Every structure is written in structure tokens, then in C-alpha cells.
Amino acid sequence: MLNSRGLGARKREALGPRGRTLPARLLISLAASTLAILLIIARRNKHSGPPQAGKVVQTSQPQQQRQSILAYVGVQTGFTTDPRPKYNYEARRRALRASWFPGSQQELARLEAEQGIVARFVIGRSADAAREAALTVEEATHRDFERLPLTEGYAGLPTKTLLFLRAVTQRYDPQYIVKIDDDVYFRLDRLPAAAMQWAHAGADYVGCFKTGGIVKSPKWRWYEPQHVLLGGASYFAHAWGSAYVVSGRVAADIAAIRDGALRHFANEDVTIGSWMLAFNTTPYDDRRMCETNCTATSLAVYDMPQCAGLCEPAAQLPVLHASPACQAPAMEPDGMLPLLPPILQFAAAQQQNGAVATKAVASA
């Protein structure tokens, strides 16, 4: 059972203390994978407790060093190509900086120094010179971007996520990596306490889990061209793509795989879910990652299921942030961060007679 004890009184700027020793987490192995994956797993770095902000970790290559941090929060964003206001990504970023995302270099630096949390907007490149030039100006002004070497587009989202994990793990040694879309409201001040709870559960893959029918006809949205490989009528359990969390250990393993070795499906959330199965991660169904309003438990807030994020993010983000519910203290008066009951309960991946198995059962 998770320990929901929190981190003390809320501080908006500093986000509360951290640094308790965490229980050792379960080792990861693979049931049936390639020799390359096995070799990478054997070389992985093991975490026995929470990282200390500013600590430098030496990698296998002497010339490279990685800074240990509690979490890297990557807000996935893009270039505006659709004239409809809801798809104006520049407006989304302005609304985010004016709400929960750190709005200045000073706030970003304080978040990293005091809490070991790095937050960046994650974006690739544009083939349009004017859009690229505009982003260059925004980047120089705010210096809060993580640029990736790919051309932005929905079909490339699985590749974008892989490049994102690589970029983070090349420079940092994070306890957790939070992937969140730019149309989601996030309680950043609750992240340290939530990370402690996830680590206590040995969780490697955290989010709101679903299954859902496999779309087998190209006439419909979310068509999966590789549906024959998946078999059956429903997907395996995987987290909603709007907001999920991956442990730094697993992210480093995935990032180390050679290009082309990981299968990509049509949808990013399904693709990530398949990778998590291949690496035998321990999932955790945290329903706080998909609440529709700010509550005493919410971590990520968006308009599911009618929209994959907030339906009108640029307009809704400042309204949410100004609401009393979203401004409520991060922790309960007794210093706890409450939990919500999962819909799916996952047993930790364990060695069983040389094999590895993870069970999932619907909660009563």
C-alpha cells in the first residue's frame, strides 16, 4: 500500500521539502526480448533513493556527466498550423507561463535548485522558415525550450517521445520524467509528494490507464494500420497520452536502444504502452493524473473524455489557475497528499522461475 504522507506545508515557489530515503525499487528484466535489450538492462543504473539536486552522476563514458534531479517535466508543444484558436500553440504557451508553468528564468532556476525539478517546453523543428524564426525569438526571450531534431507532426509523436527521453537522460539522471501536453493544467507543487508515493510503490509507468477498442478501418480516426499484429478487439492497458510519468531508469534503458529497434504504432500512447510492456515496467494507475477539475487530489486536469486535453486551453488555463480550487494548498492540513483508488490494480513485475510476469485486475 502506498504511503500518502506528504511533505509538509505548501510553498508555491519552492514546492515543499524533499529528500526522504526511498525504498529500493524492483529490478527490471525482460520476459522475451533481444540480446541487445538484455545487455542494456544489465548495464542500467539502479536508484536506491531519491536524488539530490545538483549531484552529478558519472556515466559509462568518462567525458559525460549527468545531473541527478527529482523530475523533468516536459510540456509537449508544437507550431501553429491551424487557424482555429484552440490550436494556437503560442497562445497555449503564454497561458501556461501565466498559470502553472514557471514564467521566468528566475522561477525555473529556483525550481531546479530548491526542488530538483526541471521544466521545459519540448518541440522539434518546422519546415516553415517564418514559424521557425518566430520560435527562435520566443526561445531567446524565455529560454525554456528543449529542442528536438525532428520535424513536428502528429505522425511523428512516438519518435518525438523517444527523442525527448534521449535528450533528458543524456544530461540528467531523473527519478521521474513527466510527459504532459500543453493543453493540460498541472499541479506542479504536488509533484514532489506524488513522486515520493510513486517511488514507494516501485512505479515505473504512471498515469490513467485504459484499454479501448482497436480501430481497424482507415475510415475512422485513430486507425491502427498494424491492428493484425495486436490481435483481438482491444488494446493492452496503457496510460492516456495527455499526461503520464516514466521512471528515469526505464527512460534511460529505452533511450539506449538503437534506432529502429522499437516498434511504433499509429498512436503515441499505445506505442509508449507497448515499450513499457517490453521493458517489463511496474505500472501504477493514478487517477489523479486525469481529473476534470482541481480537487484536493488532482495532479493533471483536463476535459477527458470529450477532449484529449482542455477543450479550449488558452482560454481555460488562466481561469482554472485563478479558481480557488486550483489555488488550494498542495497538501492536506495533516501534511498528506491524498490518493484516489485505481481502476486497474497492477502487481509489481516479479521474477518467477526465470520468467517475469505482471498481473492486472480490475478493482472492485
Side-chain angles (χ1 to χ4, degrees):
M1 179 178 294
L2 287 175
N3 183 350
S4 59
R5 286 288 167 189
L7 298 177
R10 169 176 175 250
K11 287 180 66 178
R12 268 291 180 190
E13 293 79 12
L15 304 185
R18 66 182 183 89
R20 280 175 51 188
T21 301
L22 301 176
R25 295 186 290 170
L26 297 175
L27 296 175
I28 301 172
S29 59
L30 297 172
S33 190
T34 63
L35 177 59
I37 293 179
L38 289 173
L39 290 173
I40 290 166
I41 294 296
R43 294 195 299 265
R44 72 176 179 262
N45 293 325
K46 302 172 185 175
H47 294 283
S48 59
Q52 298 176 356
K55 177 185 174 184
V56 172
V57 175
Q58 191 79 24
T59 67
S60 58
Q61 298 181 359
Q63 72 273 20
Q64 295 182 344
Q65 292 181 328
R66 298 189 300 149
Q67 179 184 347
S68 284
I69 58 174
L70 176 67
Y72 190 109
V73 179
V75 180
Q76 311 297 305
T77 189
F79 295 91
T80 301
T81 59
D82 189 312
R84 289 175 290 179
K86 69 176 296 182
Y87 296 113
N88 186 318
Y89 292 100
E90 292 82 6
R92 291 186 184 188
R93 292 191 292 271
R94 286 194 296 270
L96 285 163
R97 292 190 188 102
S99 57
W100 68 263
F101 190 90
S104 68
Q105 274 294 300
Q106 291 77 16
E107 291 179 21
L108 287 167
R110 185 167 65 248
L111 183 66
E112 181 176 349
E114 297 181 2
Q115 289 303 310
I117 298 175
V118 175
R120 296 289 186 272
F121 290 107
V122 182
I123 190 170
R125 307 286 171 177
S126 174
D128 184 278
R131 295 191 184 106
E132 187 65 41
L135 186 68
T136 299
V137 172
E138 184 180 351
E139 184 177 14
T141 301
H142 296 283
R143 293 186 292 168
D144 55 4
F145 284 92
E146 179 72 54
R147 300 299 304 273
L148 301 177
L150 88 161
T151 301
E152 283 287 341
Y154 183 82
L157 288 182
T159 299
K160 181 177 180 179
T161 300
L162 178 58
L163 292 175
F164 166 55
L165 297 179
R166 283 180 177 169
V168 173
T169 55
Q170 282 174 359
R171 294 196 306 278
Y172 298 98
D173 180 34
Q175 184 84 7
Y176 286 105
I177 297 175
V178 180
K179 181 268 183 185
I180 189 164
D181 290 345
D182 62 1
D183 53 1
V184 173
Y185 187 85
F186 190 64
R187 285 298 300 259
L188 191 61
D189 53 342
R190 289 177 174 165
L191 180 55
M196 183 184 296
Q197 293 169 335
W198 299 332
H200 185 75
D204 292 305
Y205 179 34
V206 180
C208 292
F209 280 76
K210 60 186 175 109
T211 52
I214 300 173
V215 180
K216 301 181 180 181
S217 171
K219 297 179 182 179
W220 302 102
R221 190 182 183 187
W222 316 124
Y223 167 59
E224 178 49 70
Q226 300 180 79
H227 61 86
V228 175
L229 285 175
L230 294 168
S234 298
Y235 284 113
F236 44 82
H238 58 282
W240 279 80
S242 305
Y244 61 83
V245 182
V246 176
S247 72
R249 180 178 58 188
V250 171
D253 292 340
I254 292 173
I257 293 293
R258 66 173 176 81
D259 289 337
L262 293 169
R263 183 171 294 275
H264 292 199
F265 292 99
N267 298 302
E268 186 258 355
D269 54 357
V270 172
T271 301
I272 298 303
S274 71
W275 297 350
M276 295 297 112
L277 287 174
F279 282 85
N280 194 49
T281 61
T282 296
Y284 176 55
D285 185 25
D286 193 339
R287 308 313 291 187
R288 301 174 300 180
M289 293 290 290
C290 58
E291 297 200 51
T292 55
N293 293 289
C294 285
T295 69
T297 60
S298 58
L299 292 171
V301 177
Y302 57 98
D303 295 323
M304 67 168 297
Q306 62 266 39
C307 295
L310 294 170
C311 294
E312 297 291 339
Q316 288 176 262
L317 281 165
V319 173
L320 275 170
H321 191 63
S323 68
C326 293
Q327 287 293 317
M331 316 298 289
E332 292 287 274
D334 60 0
M336 297 176 67
L337 178 60
L339 298 166
L340 290 177
I343 293 178
L344 291 176
Q345 293 181 339
F346 300 97
Q350 297 179 0
Q351 293 279 354
Q352 296 179 355
N353 297 325
V356 186
T358 301
K359 298 188 296 181
V361 293
S363 60

